[in-house]
Structures are given as C-alpha cells and as structure tokens.
Amino acid sequence: DPEAEMGHDERVKAAMKARDKVLTSTLRLIKTALAAGAKDEGLDALGDDAAVKVLRKMAKMRQESIAMYRDAGESGAERLAAEEAELAVIEQWLPALADEATTRTWIQALIDAADGAPLNPGKMMGALMKDHREEIDGKLAKDLCAAMCAEASA
C-alpha cells in the first residue's frame, strides 16, 4: 500500500491537495498530539509503543464524544459526523484490537483457571489488562467480564 509507506508530512500534503478537510485536520491533530507526547517525555520523537498509546487516547476521546453526541440526538448530529470521521482517520494508524470472540476466549481461560473459586471481575480485568493491554478493548472486556462472571457464578 503506497499510502501506508508515506510519511506523515507527505500524507498531510496529499490530503491538502485533495482538499480533504477532515483528513487534513485530523492528521494535523495527530501530529500535534505525537509532538506533545514526545515533548512530555523529553524526546525528539515517540517510539511506536508510546505513539500507539497517544493514538489510543485520541481514539478513546472520540469514542466518548460520539456516545455523547448520539445521546444528544439531532442537536449533536453535525458534531457526531465530524467525530466519527476523525475516529476513522485515527484508527487507520492503530493496530487492530482483539475482537469479541478472542476477548471471550481470554476471559473464559481466566474463569477456567479459577477452578470453582469465587470470581472477581475486577481482579480478572487486572489480569487481562496485564497480559493484553495493547491488544484489548477495555470497555468491551469489562462488559464481557462482568457478564461472563455472573453467568459462570449462576
């Protein structure tokens, strides 16, 4: 994919030439966030892991805004579309998170390892995050963990 091999500045220029305002502004937001993250760490540039953390934080902020604007209904429709467009751009730069089936498998393994002992969803989340922090959707895992623990305890 030639676009994936393009550097960040080249992507911004290409977006500007294409007059893609959403892509241009989102790429600039990403560049600013990465630069701020590097400055906070006292570095010239962030490594891949740190950059992914910054991008995940940006994505999470967009997801929270999307939920808020959805709840606002018609009054938030325009901003909702903008947040969804920004999230789509940010997600292009992020490694994919584990899907629901994979997350369920990890949780089930923890339930099985408990071997009949009382299940504590909070402790299970701690173990999940310790082992899979960079590859798991925390909200999905929390919801599944609570449901699966309740189901297994019933």
Side-chain angles (χ1 to χ4, degrees):
D1 180 11
E3 189 171 310
E5 293 178 19
M6 258 194 248
H8 191 86
D9 290 336
E10 288 80 19
R11 287 182 108 176
V12 172
K13 288 176 189 172
M16 288 171 62
K17 284 182 183 174
R19 299 193 189 284
D20 187 332
K21 290 180 182 175
V22 172
L23 182 59
T24 302
S25 66
T26 307
L27 289 173
R28 285 180 173 155
L29 286 172
I30 290 170
K31 184 175 182 177
T32 300
L34 293 174
K39 185 178 179 185
D40 290 347
E41 298 293 325
L43 303 170
D44 290 334
L46 291 176
D48 288 348
D49 290 344
V52 166
K53 283 182 183 174
V54 169
L55 292 172
R56 289 237 187 269
K57 184 176 180 180
M58 291 179 74
K60 184 176 182 180
M61 289 169 45
R62 297 308 176 290
Q63 290 162 345
E64 290 168 354
S65 295
I66 287 167
M68 185 179 68
Y69 289 122
R70 276 207 179 104
D71 292 344
E74 193 61 39
S75 64
E78 187 176 315
R79 198 57 218 147
L80 171 66
E83 293 286 333
E84 288 174 332
E86 287 179 7
L87 179 60
V89 173
I90 293 166
E91 286 178 338
Q92 292 175 11
W93 293 72
L94 285 170
L97 292 174
D99 62 7
E100 183 175 337
T102 302
T103 304
R104 281 183 180 277
T105 301
W106 291 334
I107 295 168
Q108 190 59 53
L110 292 172
I111 290 171
D112 294 345
D115 200 26
L119 299 173
N120 180 330
K123 286 186 178 180
M124 291 177 72
M125 275 302 297
L128 277 173
M129 296 309 282
K130 180 178 176 241
D131 294 341
H132 305 287
R133 178 173 304 285
E134 298 303 322
E135 53 190 339
I136 197 165
D137 177 338
K139 182 176 180 345
L140 172 67
K142 181 180 175 218
D143 294 344
L144 288 175
C145 205
M148 291 174 72
C149 283
E151 193 177 290
S153 298

